[in-house]
Amino acid sequence: MDIKKTSLVILAAGMASRYGGNKQTESFGPSGETIMEYSIYDAIKAGFGKVIFIIREEFSAAFKEVIEPKLNGKISTGYVYQSLESFSGGRQIPADRTKPFGTSHALLCCKDILDGPFAVINADDFYGFDAFKQAYNFLTTEIKEDKYACIGYELKNTLSDNGSVTRGEINVNDQNEITGITERREIYKEAGKAYTKTGDTVTELPLDTKVSMNFFCFTPDFVNWSEAEYYKFLDENTNNLKAEFLIPEVADILIKSGQGVVKMIPTQAKWFGVTFKEDAPVVKVALQKLADEGVYPVNLWA
């Protein structure tokens, strides 16, 4: 296995409807860094050799203007554009559909550029160095064509004070292999506890529940396999304007079909992110604190 090909794939094509702006290129760090720059910095430190950005073509120029000068000479870069028509298989996409078809569809758009094992993350989440170190170790020592991994965070460290969030609840067996990932779409905090709402049903979730933050380790075989699943998804959901083809749900299909194993790798890294506009000041304070403590340079790329 050529570890030099180990890539970090960053999902940056989302429309950020709850946030109300293009948070992927917004400044959060002390020297104007975006959140994903901290992920890239940690990935380089861990050993990753390439970063692939999945973006929408209409804002590619602005995106590259922000990111390319900072990364030049530090890590190889690649770009993939996610569009509603990609991998439609001739199916008619409703004219009213504006939202991309989700994270696993975005990953599918990388099919022709992936040439080795890779990790995939969200652009707007801060994951912490330990997560990248563990991911790189798995990608270079353990991964196989039918053995993948998911970095698992504790639910209490992934909630927002400003609204409900979506998280993939992870269940594992005695070998720490994931037996199922349940997508919980309305998780919120109240009186020091966490709850999830499905329709009119409210259920409490333990604060130490392990959840997926969309940090997975795969080989290109997973992406190739997912293509047929995407066509099934389209056939069932083309006219559902809000339906999304999400990585945790597709990984869950793989696991339950018996065609692959996904290991859960727990991390003690502190996660934070910007789901809502009100989260931004909190993230800026947290990044400044990490710089003050010397965990990161005041300027990542100086």
Side-chain angles (χ1 to χ4, degrees), residues 224-244:
N224 295 336
W225 170 84
S226 73
E227 185 172 357
E229 294 300 321
Y230 181 60
Y231 295 138
K232 294 177 188 176
F233 164 85
L234 282 183
D235 289 338
E236 296 172 3
N237 297 281
T238 299
N239 295 316
N240 181 346
L241 301 183
K242 294 184 178 181
E244 293 183 88

Side-chain angles (χ1 to χ4, degrees), residues 8-14 24 36 52-55 63 82 102-108 110 120-125 127 213-216 247:
L8 176 68
V9 175
I10 300 182
L11 301 160
Q24 290 93 340
M36 66 181 166
I52 299 170
F53 300 99
I54 306 175
I55 59 177
F63 187 96
Q82 181 183 14
T103 53
S104 208
H105 174 240
L107 204 52
L108 186 56
C110 288
V120 56
I121 63 168
N122 294 333
D124 50 4
D125 290 335
Y127 292 97
M213 297 307 302
N214 252 18
F215 194 146
F216 285 87
I247 293 173

Side-chain angles (χ1 to χ4, degrees), residues 267-282:
T267 179
Q268 297 304 311
K270 173 65 177 173
W271 172 96
F272 49 83
V274 281
T275 304
F276 304 94
K277 199 74 175 177
E278 293 80 5
D279 294 328
V282 178

Side-chain angles (χ1 to χ4, degrees), residues 21 40 54 100 123 146 153-154 173-174 185 246 251 256 260 270-271 276 283-284 287:
I40 298 166
I54 306 175
D146 60 352
Y153 287 77
E154 290 196 349
N173 60 19
D174 293 341
R185 283 188 163 81
L246 302 174
K256 289 176 178 173
K270 173 65 177 173
W271 172 96
F276 304 94
V283 171
K284 290 177 181 179
L287 292 175

Side-chain angles (χ1 to χ4, degrees), residues 110-152:
C110 288
K111 182 180 177 183
D112 295 333
I113 195 174
L114 292 169
D115 58 2
F118 66 93
V120 56
I121 63 168
N122 294 333
D124 50 4
D125 290 335
F126 176 93
Y127 292 97
F129 175 68
D130 181 65
F132 290 93
K133 180 178 70 174
Q134 294 208 56
Y136 184 77
N137 180 64
F138 177 82
L139 288 165
T140 54
T141 62
E142 287 190 60
I143 199 164
K144 299 176 183 177
E145 292 182 0
D146 60 352
K147 182 182 180 182
Y148 309 120
C150 173
I151 305 296

